Amino acid sequence: MISFILCILAVLVLVTPSVFGMFNYTDYDNDFVNPSYILAGHFDASTTNAQNSIVEWADWLGAQGPWSVTYKTIVPPSGDKHDYMSWAPYYWPNCTGVDNTTQLTPEQIWTECPYYSRDGMFNPDRLLVNDTGAFETMSDAVFYNAIAWAITGSPRHSASAVDFINTWFLANDTGQNPNLNYAQMHRGPDGQMGTHTGLLDFKQMAKLTSGILILRDGNSPDWTNDIDSQMIDWTNAYLDWVMNSDIAYQEYIYPNNHGTYMHNQVASLQILVGDRDSAIDTINHYFSHQYLDQINATGEQPLEASRTHPYHYRCYNLAAMIVNLRIGSYLGIDFSKTTTSQGATIQTAADFTMLQTPNLDDADGPLVELYPPVAAVASIYGDPGGKYAAFLANGEKTYPYEPYFLWNQPLLDSGSHTASKPSVPPHTDPKQAHRSMKKLRRKLL
Ligand SMILES: *[C@@H]1O[C@H](CO)[C@@H](O)[C@H](O)[C@H]1NC(C)=O
Ligand SMILES: *[C@@H]1O[C@H](CO)[C@@H](O)[C@H](O)[C@H]1NC(C)=O
Ligand SMILES: *[C@@H]1O[C@H](CO)[C@@H](O)[C@H](O)[C@H]1NC(C)=O
Ligand SMILES: *[C@@H]1O[C@H](CO)[C@@H](O)[C@H](O)[C@H]1NC(C)=O
Ligand SMILES: *[C@@H]1O[C@H](CO)[C@@H](O)[C@H](O)[C@H]1NC(C)=O
Ligand SMILES: *[C@@H]1O[C@H](CO)[C@@H](O)[C@H](O)[C@H]1NC(C)=O
């Protein structure tokens, strides 16, 4: 009997990969995909498998939705479940001297015990509130369903994407208030307010915006004028909160990946509301501030290398730098040759990172986190020697099945397509960038 069960298990293990085929969903760190490329549909024949994966991922994610901040069982300090909330993951309660701990209810612990940081140690109870996971999955679901709609033309995909946006942001009963006042909040008597690191929870606004642009520019019948204007109103209200929030400002000027991702978020939302000039200012701000100190001459990212998981953080910031590059390119500005103060480019950083080894004993990595950025670098900078394609093929043989393969074309060809398409920056005047920064500062402080 036991050997029979073992036999069944062995068969399941063998069969699972082929049953699911190319289905191995990964939440890529971030992306911004040019809607014109997706909507034009002139895809290279080599991308067929990637297109199929996108449709599979869209359906799999879609079946889990919709998501809403109002579904959580714990009420934020405001008393309003429509407020987004997440708990700072590395903070732990110290109830010594507060009361007899065995008599404290969880709610008393969360409000009465001081919390202190144990860097890198996750407090498991943080998952009692999962607005973070819900937003990540919702934004991926919108992103993949919008691209799947462009590929298949099936209203099932556009209707899902619109339903998820409506439920999360707009519907009266389930919509989120336009703020992150309680993101990665600290608990205890001195807490109950969000912290600047919580702004990172919304980094995937870049993916979500890509999805919305595809539906909007592709004239999806499901993306009605009414939903478009409601979403623009919501986003304007949220950007207004960002401009007046001290924690948002701290995140915007933060030197490491936090600052990079905050620019992903702000610029994409400015694009969503049609404020192209502000989006250009935001991307210019990134490349004339944080970026300059993020990559040194060797391609090392010192601010990420000094973290507990350097391999992971190098890949993580690389993904966000690429999104800022892609948003710039969408806006008509090419920052791919822009150098840091030590003369490096994003390509230099990718080349350096490819030579590093994750410290697997320290839960560093994973290696796969580097593949989407390497594919992006190959497509943006060209891959004449086939170095990037070889790196991918060596690490992940099935990389042409990955969704990122579709929007990181050309990948196997040796073209330098971006180099042959010089673009004229609409306004890269440093004085203008400085003025807009001062304007932002005035608004925020
Ligand atoms: C998906 O994962 C399985 C199991 O790890 C692996 O065997 C298979 O090759 C993967 N498929 C793709 C397309 O990546
Ligand atoms: C816990 O609180 C007690 C009493 O205030 C204090 O003596 C102790 O240092 C605290 N421990 C930590 C790890 O903060
Ligand atoms: C805490 O309360 C429990 C149960 O009421 C009791 O057994 C224990 O002695 C108390 N501890 C302290 C330090 O008062
Ligand atoms: C949190 O949400 C994510 C994404 O939907 C999900 O994968 C995860 O299982 C959730 N965690 C808990 C504890 O509910
Ligand atoms: C939502 O609330 C607004 C204002 O409270 C109201 O005007 C509107 O009719 C409501 N919409 C729905 C669908 O209930
Ligand atoms: C680059 O940064 C690393 C890590 O901080 C450092 O070891 C190395 O010396 C730096 N290289 C240069 C040229 O500054």
Side-chain angles (χ1 to χ4, degrees):
M1 184 62 192
I2 286 175
S3 65
F4 175 73
I5 291 172
L6 285 178
C7 190
I8 299 256
L9 283 177
V11 167
L12 278 179
V13 168
L14 288 175
V15 161
T16 304
S18 61
V19 165
F20 289 97
M22 62 207 102
F23 176 72
N24 287 318
Y25 165 71
T26 315
D27 182 4
Y28 303 150
D29 289 334
N30 214 5
D31 259 302
F32 183 86
V33 173
N34 192 321
S36 325
Y37 167 72
I38 298 294
L39 290 167
H42 304 312
F43 303 133
D44 192 86
S46 66
T47 65
T48 306
N49 292 321
Q51 293 177 49
N52 290 339
S53 298
I54 288 170
V55 175
E56 285 191 32
W57 290 22
D59 286 333
W60 185 77
L61 289 164
Q64 298 171 45
W67 298 263
S68 160
V69 290
T70 60
Y71 297 168
K72 60 181 168 284
T73 52
I74 294 168
V75 182
S78 58
D80 185 356
K81 278 193 188 175
H82 291 266
D83 282 329
Y84 179 96
M85 173 166 73
S86 60
W87 284 333
Y90 302 146
Y91 277 73
W92 295 71
N94 175 8
C95 300
T96 312
V98 171
D99 201 342
N100 184 328
T101 43
T102 60
Q103 292 168 354
L104 293 173
T105 64
E107 287 76 10
Q108 286 170 320
I109 292 175
W110 302 338
T111 51
E112 292 172 21
C113 302
Y115 274 65
Y116 66 105
S117 174
R118 297 166 78 184
D119 191 27
M121 309 246 329
F122 284 107
N123 184 337
D125 82 353
R126 76 194 187 282
L127 291 175
L128 293 173
V129 183
N130 200 14
D131 285 358
T132 308
F135 182 80
E136 290 271 304
T137 314
M138 183 277 295
S139 48
D140 263 18
V142 168
F143 180 65
Y144 289 111
N145 275 284
I147 302 176
W149 169 74
I151 292 170
T152 63
S154 163
R156 148 173 124 255
H157 293 121
S158 48
S160 289
V162 173
D163 176 34
F164 301 153
I165 287 172
N166 186 52
T167 305
W168 184 280
F169 296 101
L170 307 174
N172 276 4
D173 48 345
T174 55
Q176 187 202 322
N177 293 334
N179 74 72
L180 288 185
N181 283 329
Y182 306 106
Q184 293 202 14
M185 66 174 243
H186 291 175
R187 287 176 273 175
D190 303 326
Q192 309 305 323
M193 278 309 291
T195 50
H196 77 87
T197 54
L199 271 293
L200 188 61
D201 286 9
F202 268 23
K203 66 184 171 153
Q204 295 212 135
M205 281 294 192
K207 288 186 189 175
L208 188 113
T209 296
S210 301
I212 289 178
L213 295 178
I214 289 167
L215 297 171
R216 180 195 282 164
D217 297 356
N219 297 314
S220 157
D222 289 304
W223 188 257
T224 60
N225 288 339
D226 184 42
I227 202 125
D228 191 58
S229 64
Q230 284 187 55
M231 191 58 202
I232 289 175
D233 288 349
W234 190 95
T235 306
N236 273 322
Y238 175 73
L239 282 171
D240 198 47
W241 174 83
V242 165
M243 294 302 161
N244 289 291
S245 153
D246 187 52
I247 55 174
Y249 178 68
Q250 288 172 41
E251 188 76 346
Y252 188 76
I253 60 168
Y254 211 75
N256 71 7
N257 68 76
H258 280 270
T260 319
Y261 276 106
M262 186 62 182
H263 286 75
N264 289 180
Q265 181 188 157
V266 172
S268 48
L269 292 178
Q270 287 163 333
I271 290 170
L272 196 164
V273 300
D275 188 356
R276 190 189 150 82
D277 287 349
S278 297
I280 289 171
D281 290 347
T282 300
I283 295 300
N284 272 325
H285 177 267
Y286 169 73
F287 282 101
S288 54
H289 290 80
Q290 279 98 334
Y291 175 70
L292 298 178
D293 297 322
Q294 284 185 346
I295 314 168
N296 77 10
T298 61
E300 175 60 291
Q301 300 175 62
L303 301 174
E304 310 305 329
S306 62
R307 301 290 300 270
T308 37
H309 305 297
Y311 190 92
H312 155 69
Y313 279 113
R314 287 186 196 107
C315 299
Y316 193 61
N317 192 49
L318 202 46
M321 292 195 287
I322 288 165
V323 167
N324 283 334
L325 192 60
R326 286 247 155 93
I327 293 177
S329 142
Y330 172 78
L331 295 165
I333 318 175
D334 181 7
F335 288 101
S336 63
K337 308 289 184 298
T338 303
T339 50
T340 63
S341 42
Q342 288 199 23
T345 64
I346 290 171
Q347 186 177 28
T348 325
D351 289 348
F352 177 90
T353 308
M354 282 165 61
L355 300 173
Q356 308 308 306
T357 315
N359 177 359
L360 296 173
D361 298 337
D362 187 30
D364 200 354
L367 186 60
V368 292
E369 199 179 358
L370 185 54
Y371 300 148
V374 164
V377 164
S379 115
I380 294 165
Y381 293 89
D383 191 16
K387 167 173 101 166
Y388 300 119
F391 179 83
L392 292 171
N394 185 46
E396 185 170 53
K397 282 187 190 54
T398 50
Y399 76 92
Y401 284 79
E402 285 286 323
Y404 68 69
F405 187 78
L406 178 65
W407 59 82
N408 288 310
Q409 288 295 313
L411 183 46
L412 294 173
D413 119 1
S414 58
S416 50
H417 66 302
T418 42
S420 67
K421 254 197 322 193
S423 57
V424 182
H427 72 260
T428 41
D429 174 11
K431 275 198 198 125
Q432 163 64 29
H434 187 69
R435 271 200 302 278
S436 71
M437 186 52 210
K438 273 171 63 181
K439 204 169 68 191
L440 181 70
R441 239 172 218 287
R442 254 202 322 277
K443 274 190 176 168
L444 291 173
L445 287 182

